[in-house]
Amino acid sequence: MTRLTFLGTGTSQGVPMIGCDCSICRSTDPKDKRLRSSAFVEYGGLKILVDAGPDFRTQMLRAGIRHVDAILLTHNHKDHTGGLDDVRAFNYIEKAPIRIYCEKYVEDSLRKEYSYAFAEHRYPGVPEWQITNIDEHPFTVSENIPSRKLLWIDGKGYEKIPVSAEEWAAEHHPEEAFKGSYRPKQAEIIPIRGKHFTLPVLGYRFGSIAYLTDMNFIPESEFQKLEGLDHFIINCVRRGKHISHFSLEEAVEVAGRVGARHSWLTHLSHQLPRYEDLCKELPENIRPAYDGLAIEA
């Protein structure tokens, strides 16, 4: 079973937008309150986060998320990477770096924006990441078992202690380790290539759920990766052409072509109708997502 929870379904400015007095931003419907787009996926026994924007801390607390095996980044824009410093809490509690999967250009951007996390002499307590570069080819995500355990020393920072998979299992999965039945969990992820204006971005397929955000173009060759879906998630910011996102009309057209049993719109702006009104004008199998919505397949 795969379960995806929408942690945020808004655009880069969220809804309501700062300083705006439009009817959408003034809506009292909780489904019209949208944090920056992100999703939490439970797949193959793993807990995977797609993007970590500026609302990361609020989203983790609101959803009660206490463990993450990996973070998959779609691209390098701040509304999708601006919360990565807050993984420090997971580092401290779980005594392990967080695994991040992203394209090489995204890593290069992180090295500039978070230079303090990559410095030779780092300030104690900076985020601890383990970055793996990916592209549009399938890759495997494994349970977050570190090769070095993080031990916090006050006034000094982390001491990194070598740890074997067996030692880690004995500490975190004692019953299974004792019985000799412990096997690290892993799952294959299928990336979906798209373009965000001219920027190459990735969406991801988890079994029969696919999550695509911040795109306005999908190459013809990628549609075969989207066959046989139960749930298809696609970004949509407004009616009418947009330079870097699918419009409402385009998103509905793409969803129709993909032909999933259910399609969901995310990355929604205050330029679209209220949730209830938008539902009324969409086909029955296409619905706007909202923060906190969970889907299963």
Side-chain angles (χ1 to χ4, degrees), residues 41-81:
V41 185
E42 297 164 89
Y43 175 56
L46 302 176
K47 298 183 184 299
I48 300 169
L49 185 68
V50 182
D51 289 334
D55 298 317
F56 175 87
R57 178 179 179 276
T58 298
Q59 292 166 342
M60 296 299 100
L61 293 172
R62 184 170 70 174
I65 296 171
R66 303 181 66 179
H67 171 73
V68 172
D69 285 296
I71 298 175
L72 313 184
L73 298 178
T74 58
H75 61 301
N76 65 334
H77 286 171
K78 205 70 169 181
D79 57 317
H80 296 262
T81 64

Side-chain angles (χ1 to χ4, degrees), residues 5-276:
T5 302
F6 291 90
L7 300 178
T9 55
T11 56
S12 59
Q13 299 191 75
V15 182
M17 189 176 79
I18 293 173
C20 184
D21 195 40
C22 75
S23 62
I24 308 304
C25 289
R26 288 187 285 106
S27 171
T28 58
D29 185 346
K31 293 179 180 177
D32 290 326
K33 309 294 184 184
R34 303 182 183 279
L35 298 179
R36 268 63 73 92
S37 290
S38 176
F40 182 64
V41 185
E42 297 164 89
Y43 175 56
L46 302 176
K47 298 183 184 299
I48 300 169
L49 185 68
V50 182
D51 289 334
D55 298 317
F56 175 87
R57 178 179 179 276
T58 298
Q59 292 166 342
M60 296 299 100
L61 293 172
R62 184 170 70 174
I65 296 171
R66 303 181 66 179
H67 171 73
V68 172
D69 285 296
I71 298 175
L72 313 184
L73 298 178
T74 58
H75 61 301
N76 65 334
H77 286 171
K78 205 70 169 181
D79 57 317
H80 296 262
T81 64
L84 285 172
D85 182 83
D86 281 325
V87 305
R88 292 181 294 123
F90 287 122
N91 296 152
Y92 180 78
I93 292 171
E94 301 198 347
K95 301 180 175 63
I98 285 288
R99 295 188 180 191
I100 296 177
Y101 294 79
C102 65
E103 296 195 75
K104 180 60 168 61
Y105 85 87
V106 178
E107 178 185 355
D108 293 342
S109 178
L110 296 181
R111 287 181 175 274
K112 292 178 181 178
E113 295 190 31
Y114 293 96
S115 59
Y116 60 89
F118 298 93
E120 182 178 355
H121 303 289
R122 297 188 293 168
Y123 188 86
V126 299
E128 296 286 344
W129 305 327
Q130 180 180 321
I131 298 179
T132 299
N133 289 152
I134 57 173
D135 53 24
E136 61 267 27
H137 296 94
F139 62 96
T140 299
V141 171
S142 300
E143 186 175 344
N144 191 21
I145 302 175
S147 59
R148 291 181 178 273
K149 179 179 176 180
L150 303 178
L151 179 63
W152 179 257
I153 307 296
D154 278 341
K156 179 180 178 181
Y158 286 116
E159 183 177 338
K160 299 179 180 181
I161 304 171
V163 61
S164 67
E166 293 74 19
E167 291 171 326
W168 187 261
E171 180 177 350
H172 294 268
H173 306 279
E175 186 174 337
E176 294 175 60
F178 178 76
K179 294 178 180 178
S181 61
Y182 174 71
R183 298 292 182 273
K185 301 176 181 65
Q186 60 180 28
E188 183 181 72
I189 313 295
I190 300 175
I192 313 298
R193 169 64 71 203
K195 283 290 187 71
H196 185 35
F197 187 35
T198 60
L199 183 71
V201 297
L202 292 176
Y204 299 101
R205 177 168 181 162
F206 308 90
S208 59
I209 299 178
Y211 180 90
L212 278 60
T213 186
D214 285 49
M215 292 184 184
N216 68 332
F217 175 75
I218 303 171
E220 192 66 30
S221 59
E222 296 298 279
F223 278 95
Q224 62 183 346
K225 298 179 182 178
L226 299 171
E227 296 176 355
L229 291 173
D230 284 320
H231 295 280
F232 176 59
I233 299 148
I234 185 171
N235 76 109
C236 162
V237 295
R238 70 182 190 195
R239 304 183 197 276
K241 199 73 175 175
H242 188 278
I243 191 173
S244 59
H245 291 273
F246 286 119
S247 67
L248 177 62
E249 299 83 1
E250 290 168 335
V252 169
E253 181 181 351
V254 172
R257 176 176 178 181
V258 170
R261 289 177 56 231
H262 304 282
S263 292
W264 305 92
L265 307 179
T266 192
H267 212 285
L268 306 169
S269 80
H270 66 158
Q271 297 179 62
L272 287 165
R274 296 184 183 186
Y275 173 82
E276 288 188 358

